[in-house]
Structure formats: C-alpha cells, structure tokens
Amino acid sequence: MTIQEGISPIYPLSRHMNEKTYAVSKIHVWLSLIKQGKKPLHWNTPTYEGTDVEFDFINHQEDAEESLQELQFYIKKVNNSFNLNIHLDVSVTIKESI
C-alpha cells in the first residue's frame, strides 16, 4: 500500500501574517515540502489557524523538477510584487525505488 496524496496543515502560515511575510514564508515551506518528497498541489486560503496544503508525493525526478519550476515561478511573482531579490539555486535528485 502506498499513499499517493494528502493534506498537511501548515500552522505558521496564517492570516496573522501580512501579505509579504506570508509570501516569503510560503517559499520556505514550499522548499521544505520538496525536501520531504512532497509536491504541493493546492494551497488553501489561509485561516487564523494556518494553511492547509494538498500535496502528492514525489516519485520521479520529473516530479521534483516540475515542483521546483513552479516554485521558481512563484518566487518571480513574489519578487515582482514586493520588489524583492529572492533566488533559488538548488539541485534535486530523487532516488527511484525498485
């Protein structure tokens, strides 16, 4: 039996944050999820209790690369919105199970 997807509550990402802090924190959480082998599929609207994130598990190198490309796009959007200069320089290798 393998779990293909799930929902993870992210408590630090809440409506208590201003928009800029939330966006930058979301980048950190997103990268952390990728490192855990999770690909975010949908970020629910933040509440005062946090943000639920629907995810799928990364099973192939292509999944990891796709998730990193989506994160890069989000970083570009955040940089443009808040006049920031955030860069991501990572290399991800996924070991496929036999």
Side-chain angles (χ1 to χ4, degrees):
M1 181 172 124
T2 57
I3 299 173
Q4 295 300 319
E5 57 186 55
I7 296 177
S8 205
I10 309 296
Y11 300 110
L13 292 178
S14 72
R15 293 189 64 177
H16 294 287
M17 301 175 142
N18 65 45
E19 192 176 348
K20 181 179 178 180
T21 303
Y22 182 90
V24 172
S25 296
K26 182 176 173 179
I27 292 169
H28 290 280
V29 168
W30 195 329
L31 186 56
S32 176
L33 288 170
I34 292 171
K35 287 180 179 180
Q36 295 172 27
K38 299 175 182 177
K39 176 183 174 186
L41 300 175
H42 178 75
W43 298 78
N44 292 340
T45 303
T47 67
Y48 287 107
E49 290 79 37
T51 302
D52 285 340
V53 179
E54 296 175 34
F55 65 88
D56 196 359
F57 286 98
I58 296 172
N59 295 312
H60 304 285
Q61 184 70 28
E62 296 80 26
D63 293 339
E65 290 170 2
E66 181 180 324
S67 191
L68 285 171
Q69 286 175 353
E70 292 169 359
L71 177 55
Q72 291 281 23
F73 179 78
Y74 181 73
I75 289 171
K76 188 175 187 178
K77 181 178 166 184
V78 169
N79 283 340
N80 289 336
S81 296
F82 300 106
N83 196 28
L84 299 173
N85 192 23
I86 299 171
H87 293 283
L88 182 64
D89 183 22
V90 295
S91 173
V92 176
T93 304
I94 303 299
K95 293 181 181 179
E96 295 189 37
S97 45
I98 298 175

